[in-house]
Amino acid sequence: MTYKRKNLADHLKSDGQPKRILALDGGGLRGILTVGALQKIEDVLRERHGGSEEFRLCHYFDLIAGTSTGAIIAAALAQGWTVQQVYEKYMALGNTVFEKSFFRKGLFRAKYDEGKLIEELKEVYGEDTTLGSDRLKTGLLVVTKRLDSGSPWPLGNNPKGKYHDSRPGGTIGNGDYPLWQVVRASTAAPTFFDPEEITISEKQGHPPTKGNFVDGGVSPYNNPALQALMYATLEGNKVGWPLGEDNVFLVSVGTGSADPEVARKNMAAAQGLSALQSLMEDCAAMQETMLQWMSSSPTAKTIDRQLGSLDKDLIAGQPLLQYMRYNVELTEESVRELLPGLNDVKQIESLSEMDAPENMNILHELGVALAKRDVENNHFPQHFDLPGKQFTK
């Protein structure tokens, strides 16, 4: 029996079939660590489904969610890119976009020129591709924050969503936003890039209404896993997947957790930025705690010595989903465990930085090593395998 590929409507509809979510964290150029881990996930799933070179992660996952750098990766995967293609483009993009300039130093100017990023994103996704485009092969959720209203704005491509379609009177629906612009908004990290303006309403005879968007990482959802679960299951979002251990499978991949000791050393020089990064890590820890509390998970980590891994404290008395989390702490001990040949302490400390292109090769190696150690075939339950397990065009 062969598997016929689903279209976007098939992926998103609530049809009683098991559903699968992939969630990708923000973290600047540390996203290349995510790409390294995703290669093993793609390899495992390809083998599970017949070994065809035609297999893509967008065939398996019904929703791919990303914040910031995770949004760049998520949108490419949702368009049908292989992980190898993402790797090649990411390496080129990182070296092009994060080129440091003496003329962009200072407290009141963004560190990097968003023009280069915009050019690259238009090339990757297509200048005329919208969030509602049929070029997206599966569900996509991009986490942004609207700065002028102070609220997180998760933007998805569900055609049934309340704000997906444009409306009479000038309101522009999410589905008509340019995809490159949505991703650019999610990557507009304060101090790194200027905010992105998206036109959300154009009424005849009136100036257009524009939203001022910044990186989704400055919302609670730098790790978008919980937001993706809410998007897929809360009634108001009009996706409507039922919760349950046999109904929802969530795979979450991080960009490495910054070493708090490195942040402490740097705090005197950049106290505001270090405090923001610390808050992002706190939110990420809360996300993981909540998801472990709700799920069955062979990758569940020890929250602390008092709570353990919460495996006996399920919030509903039974699992509401199956959940996998792959990430690594960027401490000297954890990095050397995965890359024992890396002995330069200063270089290990620099891995916590989010804008260091010179670290990308090592971060990618770290992601590959993480996946080799932690990603196992049995982490992907047979119950969630695609019907037929073989591919036809």
Side-chain angles (χ1 to χ4, degrees):
M1 186 169 73
T2 56
Y3 165 76
K4 186 175 181 180
R5 300 177 193 178
K6 294 183 283 188
N7 58 29
L8 174 63
D10 292 331
H11 276 294
L12 288 178
K13 71 182 177 183
S14 182
D15 54 5
Q17 297 299 310
K19 297 295 183 179
R20 311 151 196 86
I21 301 172
L22 176 64
L24 308 176
D25 288 15
L29 287 180
R30 299 205 314 257
I32 197 66
L33 187 155
T34 301
V35 175
L38 284 172
Q39 187 62 70
K40 175 71 177 291
I41 293 172
E42 184 184 66
D43 290 344
V44 167
L45 291 172
R46 175 181 286 115
E47 185 63 27
R48 289 281 287 273
H49 294 87
S52 171
E53 290 301 317
E54 298 293 323
F55 177 84
R56 303 288 187 269
L57 289 178
C58 68
H59 299 147
Y60 182 83
F61 289 103
D62 300 292
L63 176 65
I64 304 178
T67 300
S68 193
T69 193
I72 294 176
I73 301 166
L77 294 176
Q79 280 191 312
W81 287 40
T82 65
V83 175
Q84 178 62 28
Q85 287 174 316
V86 174
Y87 165 74
E88 292 170 2
K89 188 60 183 177
Y90 197 105
M91 292 295 289
L93 184 149
N95 283 297
T96 300
V97 172
F98 286 86
E99 183 180 4
K100 293 179 172 60
S101 170
F102 173 81
F103 297 102
R104 299 192 69 86
K105 292 183 179 181
L107 293 175
F108 304 107
R109 190 174 188 186
K111 195 173 181 180
Y112 299 103
D113 179 4
E114 71 272 12
K116 292 181 179 179
L117 177 58
I118 289 171
E119 184 179 332
E120 292 289 336
L121 294 179
K122 286 180 177 179
E123 180 183 332
V124 169
Y125 308 122
E127 188 169 354
D128 61 342
T129 303
T130 63
L131 185 58
S133 171
D134 60 6
R135 295 180 189 176
L136 294 168
K137 309 302 183 184
T138 191
L140 175 66
L141 181 69
V142 174
V143 180
T144 71
K145 181 168 181 175
R146 188 172 169 190
L147 193 61
D148 52 310
S149 67
S151 55
W153 269 44
L155 298 172
N157 67 336
N158 174 25
K160 296 180 180 179
K162 184 175 182 179
Y163 299 106
H164 183 270
D165 296 328
S166 296
R167 301 179 181 182
T171 300
I172 300 174
N174 298 344
D176 289 328
Y177 294 168
L179 180 59
W180 71 262
Q181 197 170 32
V182 170
V183 174
R184 151 75 180 123
S186 185
T187 62
T191 76
F192 288 163
F193 294 104
D194 289 328
E196 178 69 19
E197 283 191 341
I198 298 179
T199 301
I200 60 178
S201 178
E202 286 186 311
K203 296 181 181 179
Q204 190 171 5
H206 296 273
T209 301
K210 296 179 180 289
N212 207 21
F213 290 85
V214 295
D215 195 314
V218 299
S219 78
Y221 306 112
N222 187 60
N223 174 349
L226 185 58
Q227 178 65 74
L229 182 66
M230 292 190 293
Y231 179 80
T233 60
L234 293 180
E235 177 60 30
N237 293 320
K238 303 303 179 184
V239 179
W241 298 348
L243 286 164
E245 187 176 14
D246 292 333
N247 296 330
V248 179
F249 178 45
L250 171 60
V251 178
S252 173
V253 187
T255 61
S257 297
D259 186 347
E261 180 61 23
V262 174
R264 186 190 65 79
K265 289 179 181 178
N266 294 335
M267 189 166 288
Q271 187 170 2
L273 190 58
S274 296
L276 176 60
Q277 184 170 319
S278 177
L279 180 59
M280 290 165 62
E281 297 291 345
D282 290 345
C283 289
M286 178 57 72
Q287 300 265 3
E288 292 188 51
T289 300
M290 291 293 296
L291 285 164
Q292 287 185 199
W293 196 13
M294 299 167 67
S295 68
S296 63
S297 177
T299 63
K301 70 176 188 179
T302 299
I303 303 300
D304 57 39
R305 286 178 291 182
Q306 179 169 288
L307 296 178
S309 63
L310 301 179
D311 58 318
K312 295 181 174 60
D313 291 298
L314 290 172
I315 193 170
Q318 59 185 359
L320 299 178
L321 70 153
Q322 295 195 48
Y323 165 65
M324 305 294 155
R325 172 68 174 172
Y326 304 109
N327 200 24
V328 59
E329 294 181 355
L330 298 176
T331 61
E332 184 179 349
E333 180 181 4
S334 295
V335 170
R336 282 185 170 176
E337 182 180 338
L338 289 169
L339 299 178
L342 186 59
N343 297 312
D344 187 331
V345 174
K346 290 291 185 183
Q347 189 169 41
I348 293 174
E349 288 182 351
S350 73
L351 296 179
S352 292
E353 297 176 16
M354 294 190 290
D355 61 338
E358 63 272 17
N359 287 337
M360 286 197 296
N361 285 324
I362 294 175
L363 286 165
H364 184 258
E365 289 178 27
L366 192 61
V368 170
L370 167 69
K372 183 178 180 180
R373 183 189 69 184
D374 292 352
V375 176
E376 299 180 13
N377 187 294
N378 61 12
H379 287 178
F380 299 85
Q382 289 186 3
H383 174 71
F384 288 93
D385 284 353
L386 299 173
K389 299 188 179 182
Q390 305 240 347
F391 283 81
T392 181
K393 292 187 178 180

